[in-house]
Amino acid sequence: MSHIAPPAHWRRAKERYRLLGSKCENCGSTFFPPTKVCPKCRRKGKIAQTEFSGKGKIYSYTIIHSAPKMFEKYTPYILALVELEEGPKVMSQIVDCKPEEVKIGMDVEACFRKLFEQDGEGVISYGFKFRPADNSWKTSY
Amino acid sequence: MRVGIVGYGVYIPRYRIRVEDIARVWGHDAGSIKSGLDVIEKSVPSLDEDTATLAVEAARNALKRAKDVKPSEIGAVYVGSESHPYAVKPTAATVAEALGIVPNTTAADLEFACKAATAGIQACMGLVRGGYIKYGMSVGADTAQCAPGDALEYTASAGAAAYIIGGENLVAEIEDTFSYTQDVPDFWRREGSLYPRHGGRFTGEPAYFEHVIKASKGLMEKLGTNVSDYNYVVFHMPNGKFPLRAAKILGFTTEHIQPSLVVEVIGNTYSGSSLLGLAAVLDVAKAGERILLTSYGSGAGSDSFSIRVTDLIEERRNLAPPVKYYVERKEYIDYALYARNRCLYRG
């Protein structure tokens, strides 16, 4: 994946920027990436756009030491499946966290980062990554 | 019609480098640098952070404090920076998209060295008061550039502050604003250049002090106020020394300026600098207290604001992380990791 055409970047920008997924208003199931059809309700389903809170837990993770070219500069990095509090599982890097600190079940929150850039002259793709949740500011300050 | 701050939010990356670690690489004397600048360490962005990501994080915090504001009600988004990720493609549109402010809004990137975002606040004030928009947002964000080994390397840091301006539900009213601008070649970066150049000591008297002092005095003359009317004063913070000296020249005490002086431990966040200082004051100020804010941008100009804190501050300030949280959330890195994070190696 050395080249991302601008339309491919643009098509996914909204969901990556705001963690926009979809929800079936018939059965309540939530989806990320967004779907157009509810796989449970089929034609009875009613899909609507929903913005996820960005809160979740690490469902599983791995440490990447040998990465695709566009992620090489971040190695070693944590790649995790994050289970959002609304249900869907999303794949994301975990940032502001050392590989030895990450744990399954860890509370995480979405943040906004650069995902990848093609080279010095190409489009920069931004979007969500996750960092360890830190609510200490609510009580300590 | 009143106009003022409806919400404010900040963001500072978690990495720090100490003055000692930079001085060791270049053979400089860390002690004299620290005492000369009144800066002991500075913030450093991660590899995947830039001005756009910093601006989005700060803007999201501002929106949390402005809890009555729907993103769709924000009719203008301005991002002031001298390190926009693209030469052509607006950071402001990325911020607007990431906050769901799109599509019915105006947006633009502003540049006036370290003061573009206070010019953005003035633009929002005018649009709100003129009835063109309900709310506007101005963000100051930078991942400040500096040539390796240059004196700027000890202070050029990263951070962002965002302000939502409106006419109701104010946490602080902006009573008036006054600006002072002249063509002064104290600091610049030419198109295509990686790093800025500066005039060394010339950045002091004819540049920073001339504009900060004259803008502050001009505002107080316009309003008929004087130093004793203000509880806090906030200036642009290129280092720890300049704002203290400007405060003293105007007759303010150290107590007036101390709550805003975050530069000692995070460095000069350029476009975020004076607005991070203001946020630090809003984090502690009481209802009814008055703040004098004067930014400075090389080139050169200052925007001065007279601000009065309202009762709403108490319930709103705890809705997002305070400046102190971000200042104390840190991890030290050495010069080699700093060079990696700032992409100083070119292969």
Side-chain angles (χ1 to χ4, degrees):
Chain A
M1 201 160 55
S2 59
H3 179 77
I4 308 286
H9 159 86
W10 170 78
R11 270 196 292 274
R12 300 204 63 192
K14 277 186 201 298
E15 66 193 53
R16 284 180 177 150
Y17 281 22
R18 289 170 57 199
L19 211 47
L20 283 182
S22 57
K23 182 175 182 177
C24 174
E25 291 179 344
N26 189 41
C27 70
S29 298
T30 48
F31 307 95
F32 191 92
T35 55
K36 289 198 165 68
V37 176
C38 176
K40 293 175 191 162
C41 305
R42 304 286 182 142
R43 71 183 61 179
K44 287 183 194 155
K46 198 178 168 202
I47 288 287
Q49 181 176 277
T50 185
E51 185 170 346
F52 296 121
S53 67
K55 295 186 181 116
K57 284 182 192 301
I58 292 185
Y59 181 79
S60 189
Y61 70 90
T62 185
I63 312 295
I64 304 289
H65 293 273
S66 181
K69 186 90 183 150
M70 65 210 304
F71 299 112
E72 262 176 1
K73 64 180 178 180
Y74 299 121
T75 58
Y77 61 85
I78 307 161
L79 188 65
L81 267 177
V82 173
E83 184 168 22
L84 300 177
E85 65 177 5
E86 295 90 348
K89 293 186 189 75
V90 303
M91 179 93 80
S92 168
Q93 278 184 39
I94 307 297
V95 295
D96 286 356
C97 181
K98 295 194 176 89
E100 59 269 28
E101 293 166 351
V102 65
K103 286 188 176 60
I104 286 175
M106 184 186 238
D107 288 321
V108 290
E109 62 189 13
C111 55
F112 191 78
R113 298 288 173 112
K114 272 196 284 194
L115 300 181
F116 42 81
E117 48 197 315
Q118 291 158 32
D119 52 48
E121 307 216 327
V123 173
I124 305 168
S125 290
Y126 296 99
F128 64 82
K129 290 184 184 177
F130 285 82
R131 64 183 167 216
D134 182 3
N135 291 314
S136 64
W137 60 270
K138 290 183 180 168
T139 49
S140 304
Y141 295 96
Chain B
M1 181 193 173
R2 297 201 315 164
V3 65
I5 299 161
V6 183
Y8 69 97
V10 305
Y11 180 79
I12 302 165
R14 78 195 294 248
Y15 297 101
R16 300 286 184 281
I17 185 165
R18 295 184 175 95
V19 163
E20 282 87 350
D21 284 315
I22 302 172
R24 186 176 53 77
V25 172
W26 302 109
H28 298 162
D29 176 23
S32 64
I33 289 162
K34 284 200 283 188
S35 63
L37 295 172
D38 273 351
V39 172
I40 59 168
E41 58 198 45
K42 68 167 188 173
S43 62
V44 182
S46 306
L47 262 175
D48 59 357
E49 289 182 308
D50 65 12
T51 290
T53 70
L54 267 46
V56 168
E57 294 280 345
R60 283 179 174 166
N61 281 333
L63 199 56
K64 283 179 196 160
R65 285 200 176 94
K67 63 176 188 178
D68 308 307
V69 176
K70 294 191 198 83
S72 59
E73 294 177 314
I74 297 175
V77 180
Y78 298 113
V79 179
S81 180
E82 49 183 280
S83 55
H84 289 291
Y86 291 91
V88 179
K89 186 179 179 302
T91 310
T94 303
V95 172
E97 187 77 58
L99 270 79
I101 296 170
V102 289
N104 299 323
T105 190
T106 181
D109 286 359
L110 305 179
E111 191 279 319
F112 194 140
C114 300
K115 82 149 192 93
T118 55
I121 289 177
Q122 291 173 325
C124 290
M125 288 167 66
L127 289 169
V128 167
R129 215 175 228 178
Y132 294 102
I133 61 172
K134 191 169 182 191
Y135 301 106
M137 176 185 275
S138 180
V139 190
D142 257 308
T143 52
Q145 305 126 336
C146 55
D150 189 279
L152 287 177
E153 195 172 28
Y154 292 102
T155 53
S157 67
Y163 286 79
I164 297 173
I165 305 300
E168 54 191 53
N169 296 315
L170 307 180
V171 297
E173 181 183 353
I174 300 175
E175 298 171 312
D176 210 341
T177 180
F178 183 86
S179 294
Y180 188 83
T181 307
Q182 300 176 101
D183 185 335
V184 182
D186 60 326
F187 176 103
W188 63 92
R189 180 166 65 84
R190 295 282 300 270
E191 179 74 37
S193 299
L194 288 175
Y195 305 118
R197 300 270 192 97
H198 55 87
R201 287 178 184 277
F202 184 68
T203 59
E205 293 303 334
Y208 181 89
F209 293 103
E210 161 80 3
H211 294 79
V212 167
I213 303 297
K214 296 270 174 69
S216 304
K217 280 187 175 166
L219 177 73
M220 288 192 277
E221 275 167 27
K222 187 180 172 194
L223 267 174
T225 56
N226 57 50
V227 168
S228 63
D229 292 316
Y230 294 96
N231 304 87
Y232 303 95
V233 64
V234 183
F235 295 132
H236 172 54
M237 296 172 268
N239 53 54
K241 284 259 157 62
F242 277 24
L244 268 173
R245 205 171 126 208
K248 202 173 161 192
I249 292 168
L250 283 163
F252 288 103
T253 64
T254 308
E255 287 70 40
H256 281 112
I257 196 160
Q258 198 63 44
S260 70
L261 289 181
V262 290
V263 57
E264 187 185 12
V265 283
I266 62 165
N268 177 6
T269 53
Y270 283 34
S271 299
S273 177
S274 58
L275 292 176
L276 266 162
L278 175 64
V281 169
L282 291 172
D283 283 343
V284 297
K286 296 183 184 69
E289 289 189 322
R290 281 170 106 180
I291 305 162
L292 179 75
L293 163 73
T294 304
S295 63
Y296 174 72
S298 289
S302 282
D303 302 321
S304 200
F305 299 82
S306 182
I307 298 165
R308 190 190 288 273
V309 179
T310 75
D311 296 338
L312 205 56
I313 192 77
E314 299 292 344
E315 71 168 84
R316 294 297 170 90
R317 74 170 136 229
N318 296 325
L319 298 177
V323 175
K324 199 161 186 273
Y325 162 76
Y326 284 113
V327 166
E328 293 178 1
R329 180 193 80 135
K330 62 183 171 186
E331 180 183 336
Y332 289 104
I333 56 175
D334 60 15
Y335 194 89
L337 282 174
Y338 162 78
R340 177 181 181 240
N341 278 18
R342 300 299 291 131
C343 301
L344 297 183
Y345 301 124
R346 297 188 179 271

